[in-house]
Amino acid sequence: MKKLIICSIVIFSSAFAKAQTIKTWSLQECVQYAIDNNIDIRQADLNTEVAKLDKKDAVGSFLPSFNASANNSWNTGLTQNITTGVLQTQTTRNSSYGVNSGVTLFDGWANVYRLQRAKMNVLSREYNSELIEDNTLLNVANSYLNVLFNKENLKRLETQHNLTQDQINLTSQLVEAGSIPRGDLLEIKATYANEEQQIIGINNNVVISRIALAQILNLDDFTNFDVEDPELSDPNGFILDRAVNDIYENATEKRFEVKIAEQNTLLAEQDLKISKAAILPRLSAFFNYNTRESGQGNFNSFLDPDSPTRQIGIVEGTNQSVLAPNFTGLIGKPDPLFDQLARNDGISYGLSLNVPVFNGWQVTNNIDRSEINVESNRLNEDQTKLDLKRNIYQSYNDAKGSRAAYQSAIIVVEARQLAFEYARERYNVGRMNAFDFNQSQTALTNSQSSLLSSKYDYIFKLKVLELFNGIEADELKL
């Protein structure tokens, strides 16, 4: 029975552990997921869609407008009969219908300029989306490297912690044998406790760095998220073999902040053309068709004896007679609907010319503002290129400095490792006290930590240079 229970527990535990397996993400998976789900990228894509709708509006301004209208109302009281023109107390129903159309024939080419501007704005929005994507990729790479750094730092310290435990065991034996004083054992145990505190802190750093990366990816589940632990060899610094001027020239052609600045200048120049178009006359054509009908009673109608082709209407209760062209010989019955619509319809069409003469200097002021905006955007374009050049030169020098620091850190670790091995041999034979041995171990630990930090710093700075050089998202690798 006990065996059955134990087997059930093992099976259940294995199934539960399998269900709780944490998915590990590669850098490429993180990059692709960020492109598809990052909020900033999605917002930039929506702005691009809005710009495309603005372009459709600009195309629509070339097309004629066409609208239809209909109105139906009832009036009770002393009102004018819209058919006869007579005032009478009555309840009438009046309706009117119409269609109208208009088209701009000439507006100083403003519509043409607006369409061109709308196309430029779509391109500018696409550049902005690409720039946000590049910045997001850099943040993903940085956060990913930060997770790897903390995890590798944790492994290094745990390995050192195990060595310290072995040293405690050995020191305990030497103390029991009377080879070394008990104070040496206490010194080693203090080092062990200090390492435990460091492990707790680095464990916390691992969790925080994972959460930071998950937030960039817009993930909700932080607990079941982790990254792969690739074997990172020596960083590939081939890009530092290129001349920095070549990297800058390549960046001016590919970097989206430069393209955005150039596009903003073109948009400002297009706004200036639109402002100048307001000086010219505006010519448009129009066409209108309208008709009406009315329905009411209270009329007697008959043919006029003096003019058989004319009808006379007499308002009931009075001796007043009026022309009643819209009534048949039936008492109180109006003409059929379509007969009234056909009789009362009308059309109007023509051309409309609007010549700007004076509008409180609004047109000239808008032109001046547009000219200032053009110059401002040209200055911003120059500043963007200067900033890019400064950033590239700084990143290039930072990467070279990081490479030198990384290579120096390798030499230091090698020297510290040899010194530690020598100190451990002396300590094991009782020729070195625990304090001096602990100092040698601490120096090795610090040098290893410095090497790890310089390595990841060097990798990140290389990624920055690669992005400046125009690397594609699917080419971003560690």
Side-chain angles (χ1 to χ4, degrees):
M1 185 65 179
K2 282 186 177 181
K3 290 183 179 180
L4 180 61
I5 294 175
I6 293 173
C7 290
S8 300
I9 293 174
V10 170
I11 294 173
F12 177 78
S13 300
S14 300
F16 181 78
K18 186 175 180 180
Q20 295 296 316
T21 299
I22 296 177
K23 172 179 171 52
T24 57
W25 294 54
S26 67
L27 177 60
Q28 280 301 315
E29 287 176 322
C30 290
V31 166
Q32 189 58 52
Y33 193 88
I35 293 174
D36 296 336
N37 297 277
N38 181 266
I39 292 178
D40 291 336
I41 294 177
R42 290 167 62 187
Q43 185 64 54
D45 291 340
L46 291 177
N47 291 336
T48 302
E49 294 301 317
V50 172
K52 291 179 180 179
L53 292 176
D54 293 338
K55 177 184 172 182
K56 290 181 67 176
D57 288 340
V59 173
S61 63
F62 288 91
L63 304 177
S65 64
F66 184 85
N67 297 286
S69 63
N71 180 60
N72 191 72
S73 62
W74 287 265
N75 298 301
T76 301
L78 185 63
T79 58
Q80 185 182 46
N81 188 305
I82 64 171
T83 306
T84 64
V86 176
L87 289 174
Q88 60 187 94
T89 300
Q90 60 181 336
T91 297
T92 61
R93 182 190 57 77
N94 305 315
S95 62
S96 61
Y97 309 91
V99 294
N100 62 83
S101 179
V103 62
T104 300
L105 301 178
F106 179 76
D107 62 348
W109 297 286
N111 281 346
V112 176
Y113 298 147
R114 291 190 185 97
L115 177 57
Q116 293 173 347
R117 189 192 189 284
K119 293 178 180 178
M120 295 176 184
N121 193 42
V122 170
L123 190 58
S124 178
R125 293 294 185 179
E126 290 174 348
Y127 288 157
N128 186 65
S129 181
E130 295 289 346
L131 178 60
I132 293 176
E133 183 175 309
D134 276 356
N135 292 336
T136 302
L137 296 187
L138 189 60
N139 289 334
V140 169
N142 186 30
S143 296
Y144 194 95
L145 287 172
N146 195 32
V147 175
L148 293 183
F149 167 74
N150 287 319
K151 292 177 71 174
E152 191 167 341
N153 199 24
L154 178 61
K155 290 179 181 178
R156 178 194 59 79
L157 190 56
E158 287 176 340
T159 300
Q160 183 61 48
H161 197 51
N162 292 332
L163 292 176
T164 304
Q165 179 63 60
D166 294 339
Q167 198 64 40
I168 290 176
N169 296 334
L170 176 61
T171 304
S172 297
Q173 295 174 5
L174 293 174
V175 169
E176 291 176 0
S179 301
I180 60 175
R182 185 172 182 79
D184 288 358
L185 177 59
L186 297 177
E187 186 71 32
I188 299 297
K189 286 185 175 181
T191 300
Y192 186 85
N194 183 58
E195 289 173 351
E196 285 186 332
Q197 289 181 339
Q198 294 182 43
I199 289 174
I200 293 173
I202 296 176
N203 256 315
N204 189 49
N205 291 341
V206 171
V207 174
I208 292 175
S209 59
R210 282 209 311 256
I211 292 176
L213 177 57
Q215 287 176 334
I216 295 177
L217 302 182
N218 197 26
L219 286 175
D220 294 329
D221 188 3
F222 299 154
T223 57
N224 295 321
F225 169 76
D226 202 354
V227 302
E228 292 181 351
D229 298 333
E231 289 293 334
L232 295 180
S233 57
D234 286 341
N236 182 358
F238 290 153
I239 193 171
L240 291 176
D241 296 333
R242 298 190 59 183
V244 65
N245 285 333
D246 293 340
I247 299 176
Y248 171 68
E249 292 298 329
N250 198 31
T252 55
E253 296 177 1
K254 295 183 177 181
R255 288 296 296 177
F256 292 104
E257 55 260 53
V258 175
K259 293 182 179 181
I260 292 172
E262 293 173 344
Q263 203 67 17
N264 286 340
T265 300
L266 294 176
L267 288 171
E269 292 173 349
Q270 205 67 16
D271 288 335
L272 177 59
K273 292 180 181 180
I274 295 172
S275 298
K276 289 182 177 180
I279 300 176
L280 301 177
R282 178 186 177 91
L283 180 65
S284 59
F286 63 89
F287 174 85
N288 298 310
Y289 172 82
N290 294 284
T291 186
R292 67 183 188 276
E293 63 88 21
S294 178
Q296 68 274 325
N298 302 328
F299 273 92
N300 293 323
S301 63
F302 53 87
L303 293 177
D304 185 349
D306 298 330
S307 179
T309 62
R310 183 175 64 175
Q311 287 183 315
I312 299 295
I314 299 178
V315 180
E316 292 182 351
T318 70
N319 294 322
Q320 183 180 11
S321 64
V322 295
L323 291 177
N326 287 336
F327 288 87
T328 63
L330 299 176
I331 296 176
K333 185 176 182 180
D335 285 348
L337 170 65
F338 291 105
D339 290 346
Q340 292 191 56
L341 293 177
R343 185 180 299 115
N344 296 320
D345 68 351
I347 62 174
S348 63
Y349 52 89
L351 300 174
S352 175
L353 179 65
N354 182 21
V355 180
V357 177
F358 179 75
N359 294 280
W361 299 291
Q362 290 184 2
V363 175
T364 55
N365 287 343
N366 286 337
I367 293 175
D368 291 341
R369 290 189 186 94
S370 297
E371 289 176 343
I372 294 173
N373 192 41
V374 169
E375 187 60 27
S376 176
N377 278 277
R378 286 173 180 167
L379 293 175
N380 287 336
E381 182 181 340
D382 293 339
Q383 186 63 51
T384 299
K385 293 178 180 178
L386 287 174
D387 291 342
L388 178 63
K389 188 172 186 177
R390 183 181 66 252
N391 291 334
I392 288 177
Y393 273 76
Q394 181 176 343
S395 297
Y396 186 84
N397 290 326
D398 288 345
K400 291 181 67 176
S402 295
R403 179 172 64 181
Y406 172 62
Q407 293 171 347
S408 177
I410 293 175
I411 297 174
V412 171
V413 168
E414 290 174 351
R416 292 295 184 188
Q417 184 68 44
L418 292 175
F420 174 73
E421 295 295 336
Y422 178 69
R424 181 162 57 181
E425 291 176 1
R426 295 187 64 195
Y427 177 76
N428 290 340
V429 297
R431 299 183 62 184
M432 177 180 284
N433 59 42
F435 178 80
D436 292 336
F437 176 74
N438 184 57
Q439 291 297 312
S440 178
Q441 181 176 333
T442 301
L444 175 61
T445 301
N446 291 339
S447 65
Q448 290 173 336
S449 178
S450 178
L451 173 61
L452 195 61
S453 178
S454 61
K455 177 182 178 179
Y456 280 94
D457 182 66
Y458 180 37
I459 293 174
F460 176 70
K461 285 182 168 59
L462 289 177
K463 297 304 126 183
V464 172
L465 269 185
E466 289 174 1
L467 284 174
F468 275 134
N469 198 44
I471 189 174
E472 299 294 334
D474 56 356
E475 298 175 356
L476 188 64
K477 296 179 176 63
L478 296 179

